[in-house]
Amino acid sequence: GENVEQHPSTLSVQEGDSAVIKCTYSDSASNYFPWYKQELGKRPQLIIDIRSNVGEKKDQRIAVTLNKTAKHFSLHITETQPEDSAVYFCAAWYSSASKIIFGSGTRLSIRP
Amino acid sequence: ETGVTQTPRHLVMGMTNKKSLKCEQHLGHNAMYWYKQSAKKPLELMFVYSLEERVENNSVPSRFSPECPNSSHLFLHLHTLQPEDSALYLCASSPLPGLNYNEQFFGPGTRLTVL
């Protein structure tokens, strides 16, 4: 069945360094890959997304890359700041089944 | 404030109780969703409504019953729940109708505890 694996489950980086979170998906029919950020006690919020006809997308310090052949996509955060500390979820949308599968989340901590 | 509100924010109920969760969106969106978020588990999509019609039910037990009376309101009726149903229940809405996925705007969630 459909599955999204996300790694690592926890990540600690020094402020100013880069953070990378990786996800793999199982069904090649997936065509939309959003990333959500959830701060402690708050609701998830979309931070960036990418569609299957694009290989890379960037928005200021955040970028997402997609490798359709390998069926994996990654979130890159550069020049990390304390406010980047949160849980990040990747997801894969399967339009043929009208279903979205989320990864298990990555807890990112930024060390001062 | 994202424009998606949920009530109540916290709910404690016994296994024999019947309760309802309410979601309201003020964004003019055409699709609404219920998610379950458990500790140490991925977000799970439960139900999808598009233009007030249910388009997806991801094998959710019948003790959860959704209702979408109009495009701004979504309910989740609960009855005879189990302790393992304790979780954060998130409502979300998105702009486009149909089955094309697009940005989800989440509500603050209802923290449900089943005793």
Side-chain angles (χ1 to χ4, degrees), chain A residues 32 34 36 38 41-46 49 51 89 91 93 95 97-105, chain B residues 1-4 35 37 41-43 45 48 55-56 58 88 90 99-104 106-108:
Chain A
Y32 176 69
Y36 284 86
Q38 188 173 26
K42 296 189 175 180
R43 68 198 76 187
Q45 289 190 299
L46 181 75
D49 56 14
R51 299 195 181 269
F89 296 95
W93 170 249
S95 62
S98 63
K99 182 180 294 188
I100 183 165
I101 307 294
F102 280 83
S104 53
Chain B
E1 188 59 52
T2 65
V4 180
Y35 288 87
Q37 187 173 32
K41 288 183 70 176
L43 270 168
L45 179 62
V48 180
V55 298
E56 180 64 24
N58 290 286
L88 180 69
L90 289 161
L99 303 179
N100 295 305
Y101 187 77
N102 46 100
E103 180 178 357
Q104 308 265 287
F106 284 88

Side-chain angles (χ1 to χ4, degrees), chain A residues 1 3 5 9-10 15 18 21 25 29 31 39 43 46 49 63 67 69 76 79 92 103 109-110:
Chain A
N3 185 44
E5 292 191 4
S9 57
T10 60
E15 182 178 350
S18 296
I21 303 171
Y25 58 99
N31 57 3
E39 296 177 43
R43 68 198 76 187
L46 181 75
D49 56 14
N67 184 326
T69 304
H76 304 255
E79 301 173 22
S109 301
I110 308 302

Side-chain angles (χ1 to χ4, degrees), chain A residues 3-9 23 87-91 101-107, chain B residues 37-43:
Chain A
N3 185 44
V4 174
E5 292 191 4
Q6 182 171 347
H7 299 281
S9 57
C23 289
V87 178
Y88 292 81
F89 296 95
C90 65
I101 307 294
F102 280 83
S104 53
T106 296
R107 183 172 300 280
Chain B
Q37 187 173 32
S38 306
K40 299 182 180 179
K41 288 183 70 176
L43 270 168

Side-chain angles (χ1 to χ4, degrees), chain A residues 43-57:
Chain A
R43 68 198 76 187
Q45 289 190 299
L46 181 75
I47 54 171
I48 196 167
D49 56 14
I50 191 167
R51 299 195 181 269
S52 58
N53 58 348
V54 176
E56 184 175 358
K57 185 176 179 181

